[in-house]
């Protein structure tokens, strides 16, 4: 059974940093692209970042480019998101999401999400 | 940047058919996916690759694609189907996922 479990969220001041982790199980993590997707309070889903199975390719939304870094450790089946220079508008629930390996970057499994609040 | 356009809301009575559309220029080239999200829960895929239904998803959920528009159809809507629905696909280059703005389905 595929399981994704995020951790590391919390309250941080503007300009601060936070590192999210996503522990994966039930599949060979190196075979799949992984994503971080966020949802601000009362808003829709927003793609944040994608990493290839090997970790060699990464992609970022313009809103986080230069501030966030996605990475993965396939030996630990863990996905990370290093978030720096955080802003109030980064406040959201952050979901870890596994892709299906299909055209269109479809997602078949989501974690339960970890909340991040950026406030002084 | 690439966008997928959905209606903000759709309302139907129980037993009726709900149709939610999603428009995007790259949809003829990229598969579309539909996710259901209920309050306080993570999204869940209900349709993948335009029209495929994952195991465990009721048959009343179906998907179709026509040109630059994809449609999620829920036949015989039930109260439990009330939720937010998001379409998702990729840009023309297929580099990253893109989400529609979401449609709130209200069962009257």
């Amino acid at each position: 059974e595929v399981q994704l479990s995020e951790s590391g969220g919390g309250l941080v001041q503007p300009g601060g940093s936070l590192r999210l982790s996503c522990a994966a199980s039930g599949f060979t993590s190196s075979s799949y692209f992984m994503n971080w997707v966020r949802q601000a309070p009362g808003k829709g889903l927003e793609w944040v970042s994608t990493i290839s199975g090997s970790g060699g390719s990464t992609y970022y939304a313009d809103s986080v480019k230069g501030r966030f870094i996605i990475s993965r450790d396939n030996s630990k089946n863990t996905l990370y998101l290093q978030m720096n220079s955080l802003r109030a508008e980064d406040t959201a629930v952050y979901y870890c999401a596994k892709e299906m390996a299909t055209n269109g970057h479809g997602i078949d499994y989501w974690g339960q999400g970890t909340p991040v609040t950026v406030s002084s | 940047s690439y966008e997928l356009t959905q209606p903000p809301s759709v309302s139907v009575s129980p037993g009726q058919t709900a149709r939610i559309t999603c428009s995007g220029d790259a949809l003829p080239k990229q598969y579309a996916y539909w996710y259901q999200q209920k309050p306080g829960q993570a999204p869940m895929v209900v349709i993948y690759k335009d029209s495929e239904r994952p195991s465990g998803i009721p048959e009343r959920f179906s998907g179709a694609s026509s040109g630059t528009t994809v449609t999620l159809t829920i036949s015989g809507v039930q109260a439990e189907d009330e939720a937010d629905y998001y379409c998702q696909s990729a840009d023309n280059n297929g580099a990253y996922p893109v989400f529609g703005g979401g449609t709130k389905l209200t069962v009257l």
Side-chain angles (χ1 to χ4, degrees):
Chain A
E1 179 191 5
V2 172
Q3 290 190 334
L4 300 172
S5 180
E6 303 94 337
S7 61
L11 174 63
V12 61
Q13 292 187 342
S17 297
L18 214 52
R19 188 197 200 199
L20 306 183
S21 299
C22 172
S25 62
F27 65 101
T28 304
S29 60
S30 61
S31 297
Y32 296 93
F33 279 49
M34 296 290 293
N35 295 274
W36 288 100
V37 177
R38 70 184 180 184
Q39 187 169 36
K43 302 296 184 181
L45 301 172
E46 179 190 13
W47 169 72
V48 173
S49 185
T50 298
I51 187 167
S52 62
S54 67
S57 297
T58 57
Y59 309 87
Y60 298 93
D62 288 344
S63 57
V64 307
K65 199 173 296 182
R67 300 187 299 122
F68 289 12
I69 300 172
I70 190 172
S71 62
R72 65 193 301 165
D73 185 338
N74 287 332
S75 67
K76 296 181 179 179
N77 293 323
T78 303
L79 175 72
Y80 303 99
L81 186 67
Q82 177 67 43
M83 304 187 296
N84 301 322
S85 302
L86 282 161
R87 306 166 180 168
E89 53 264 37
D90 296 317
T91 293
V93 174
Y94 284 73
Y95 294 101
C96 162
K98 170 190 169 294
E99 289 194 15
M100 294 180 185
T102 56
N103 165 292
H105 288 274
I107 292 166
D108 54 358
Y109 290 97
W110 300 72
Q112 83 287 354
T114 186
V116 172
T117 302
V118 183
S119 175
S120 55
Chain B
S1 61
Y2 182 60
E3 293 184 351
L4 294 172
T5 302
Q6 299 179 234
S9 62
V10 168
S11 299
V12 296
S13 298
Q16 290 189 329
T17 296
R19 293 182 180 85
I20 301 173
T21 59
C22 174
S23 299
D25 289 342
L27 288 175
K29 296 172 56 178
Q30 302 287 343
Y31 282 130
Y33 303 80
W34 290 94
Y35 306 96
Q36 177 193 69
Q37 186 181 34
K38 296 182 178 180
Q41 297 183 16
M44 176 180 68
V45 61
V46 293
I47 293 292
Y48 67 99
K49 291 171 65 177
D50 291 347
S51 60
E52 301 292 324
R53 192 174 55 249
S55 60
I57 300 301
E59 290 185 8
R60 64 180 181 272
F61 288 85
S62 63
S65 176
S66 180
T68 59
T69 299
V70 293
T71 303
L72 171 69
T73 300
I74 309 172
S75 304
V77 167
Q78 300 183 7
E80 66 197 51
D81 299 330
E82 185 164 285
D84 294 325
Y85 291 86
Y86 295 90
C87 66
Q88 178 260 308
S89 187
D91 69 321
N92 265 306
N93 297 322
Y96 55 84
V98 177
F99 290 92
T103 298
K104 181 175 182 58
L105 176 66
T106 299
V107 181
L108 301 170

